[in-house]
């Protein structure tokens, strides 16, 4: 049995479906119940990683754990979570980390994820660390302005980054959870090609069959808006990645193709699957 934390999230809901399709017994864990029907081999259990003791009933008898660090990870104790898993008999853990733990070694926004990576590697479990680039699903933040006015406002309109479809992160995670050959590996995961915010807006317009206008924000405008949703260190690190990406952050990683045996999904693929959010 495989336990998936963050089961209602961008990666988690694909991962639950993926594992169930492969015939695995899955315990889907989050604070809220997932919307809609779940496959017959999936059981939902409510738990909060901020209180590791609430995870224990899910972890008892599990073989593997997908560990997501929700929000900014504040209040989470990775050592307590992993010790709860180890004591419950879990043998394998796959951590959803971030490319920025490596590319932004001094970023305070990624300190928690770096601590989680260290704890996973020291846990005594067979571990795999996934370091994805920015998610295609971050485009959901434009959904309201596209629905109401067919407009995207974003900074750094022509800076392209190889954003990844969360479905690909889930597909790699499913492999790592089921197949021991990924133990001890850290994978940088990206999409197939850099795509800029202006190109993303165009792709959404094409999928809608109606043009989407792109309005370039200044860095200060973007910062002010993002501060409504994220703490300042996360905003500054995000703007640094979006505006002044390092060569590593611009690069396409071969890992998704090597692990899945197919090219990563494009931003247009993600858009086609999620267009209902923008109608
Ligand atoms: N977005 C990106 O571009 C990106 C890139 C690289 C790495 N990451 C990493 O991926 C992780 C998040 O991915 P995501 O943004 O796509 O998340 P998400 O899927 O939106 O969130 C996953 C789940 O976590 C729970 N959650 C959300 N906020 C929470 C909070 N404050 N406390 C406790 N639970 C919370 C929610 O489930 P319930 O409410 O049902 O519990 C949610 O469904 C983070 O560790 C982030 O650093 C993100």
């Amino acid at each position: 049995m495989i336990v998936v934390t963050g089961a209602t999230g961008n990666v988690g809901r694909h991962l639950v479906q993926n594992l169930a399709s492969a015939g695995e017994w899955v315990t889907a864990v989050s604070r809220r119940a997932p919307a809609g029907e779940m496959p017959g081999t999936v059981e939902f259990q409510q738990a909060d990683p901020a209180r590791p003791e609430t995870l224990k009933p899910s972890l008892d008898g599990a073989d593997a754990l997908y560990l997501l660090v929700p929000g900014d990870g504040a209040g989470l104790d990775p050592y307590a979570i992993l010790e709860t898993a180890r004591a419950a008999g879990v043998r394998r853990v796959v951590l959803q980390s971030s490319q920025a733990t490596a590319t932004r070694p001094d970023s305070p926004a990624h300190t928690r994820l770096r601590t989680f990576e260290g704890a996973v590697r020291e846990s005594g479990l067979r571990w795999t660390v996934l370091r994805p680039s920015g998610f295609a699903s971050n485009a959901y933040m434009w959904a309201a302005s596209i629905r109401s006015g067919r407009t995207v406002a974003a900074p750094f309109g022509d800076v392209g980054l190889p954003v990844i479809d969360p479905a690909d992160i889930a597909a790699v995670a499913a492999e790592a959870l089921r197949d021991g050959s990924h133990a001890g590996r850290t994978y940088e995961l990206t999409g197939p090609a850099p795509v800029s915010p202006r190109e993303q807006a165009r792709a959404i317009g094409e999928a809608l069959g109606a043009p989407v206008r792109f309005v370039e924000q200044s860095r200060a405008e973007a910062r002010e808006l993002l501060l409504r949703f994220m703490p300042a260190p996360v905003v500054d690190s995000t703007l640094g990645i979006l505006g002044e990406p390092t060569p590593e952050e611009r690069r396409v990683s071969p890992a998704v193709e090597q692990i899945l045996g197919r090219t990563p999904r494009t931003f247009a693929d993600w858009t086609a699957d999620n267009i209902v959010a923008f109608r």
Side-chain angles (χ1 to χ4, degrees):
M1 190 264 286
I2 298 174
V3 175
V4 176
T5 62
T8 54
N10 290 312
V11 175
R13 61 198 150 85
H14 288 288
L15 179 56
V16 166
Q17 294 289 341
N18 228 309
L19 291 169
S21 305
E24 298 287 351
W25 292 94
V26 180
T27 301
V29 172
S30 57
R31 297 170 307 173
R32 302 166 286 143
E37 286 276 299
M38 283 194 292
T41 58
V42 180
E43 184 191 335
F44 170 70
Q45 284 198 12
Q46 193 173 33
D48 185 346
R51 293 184 295 129
E53 71 283 2
T54 65
L55 289 170
K56 194 174 175 315
S58 317
L59 292 168
D60 273 334
D63 304 305
L65 167 67
Y66 187 69
L67 185 55
L68 174 120
V69 183
D72 62 4
L76 262 66
D77 179 349
Y79 294 95
I81 295 171
L82 290 159
E83 180 48 32
T84 304
R86 206 195 50 73
V90 171
R91 287 174 290 122
R92 192 175 291 166
V93 60
V94 176
L95 174 71
Q96 180 176 319
S97 181
S98 168
Q99 182 187 47
T101 57
T103 58
R104 306 270 157 174
D106 302 322
S107 144
H110 296 91
T111 304
R112 293 297 298 161
L113 279 180
R114 276 189 287 274
T115 306
F116 266 85
E117 286 196 6
V120 158
R121 293 190 179 107
E122 293 163 19
S123 65
L125 305 176
R126 291 167 71 77
W127 58 266
T128 306
V129 170
L130 307 184
R131 286 178 172 168
S133 60
F135 295 178
S137 52
N138 293 344
Y140 283 138
M141 74 181 136
W142 303 327
S145 67
I146 291 177
R147 283 198 305 266
S148 63
R150 295 279 182 264
T151 302
V152 163
F156 317 120
D158 296 306
V159 179
L161 290 169
V163 298
I164 184 164
D165 185 330
D168 278 346
I169 305 172
V172 169
E175 290 292 323
L177 287 161
R178 302 181 67 225
D179 174 353
S181 70
H182 301 284
R185 306 293 302 273
T186 298
Y187 293 121
E188 185 185 43
L189 305 175
T190 72
V195 51
S196 69
R198 197 184 305 276
E199 290 165 336
Q200 292 181 34
R202 193 178 308 134
I204 296 170
E206 281 166 10
L208 283 171
V212 169
R213 195 164 66 96
F214 184 82
V215 179
E216 178 132 357
Q217 288 174 328
S218 69
R219 186 190 197 97
E221 285 167 339
R223 188 171 191 277
E224 196 183 318
L225 273 175
L226 290 174
L227 281 172
R228 294 185 199 162
F229 310 104
M230 307 174 188
V234 180
V235 170
D236 290 329
S237 160
T238 302
L239 290 174
I241 295 169
L242 296 177
E244 298 93 29
T246 65
E248 295 75 23
E249 288 163 349
R250 290 176 185 268
R251 199 174 54 201
V252 171
S253 161
V256 169
E257 184 158 5
Q258 285 167 351
I259 295 164
L260 301 180
R262 60 162 175 80
T263 52
R265 288 164 53 82
T266 63
F267 183 78
D269 292 334
W270 178 85
T271 304
D273 282 356
N274 295 280
I275 197 63
V276 65
F278 302 98
R279 282 217 169 93

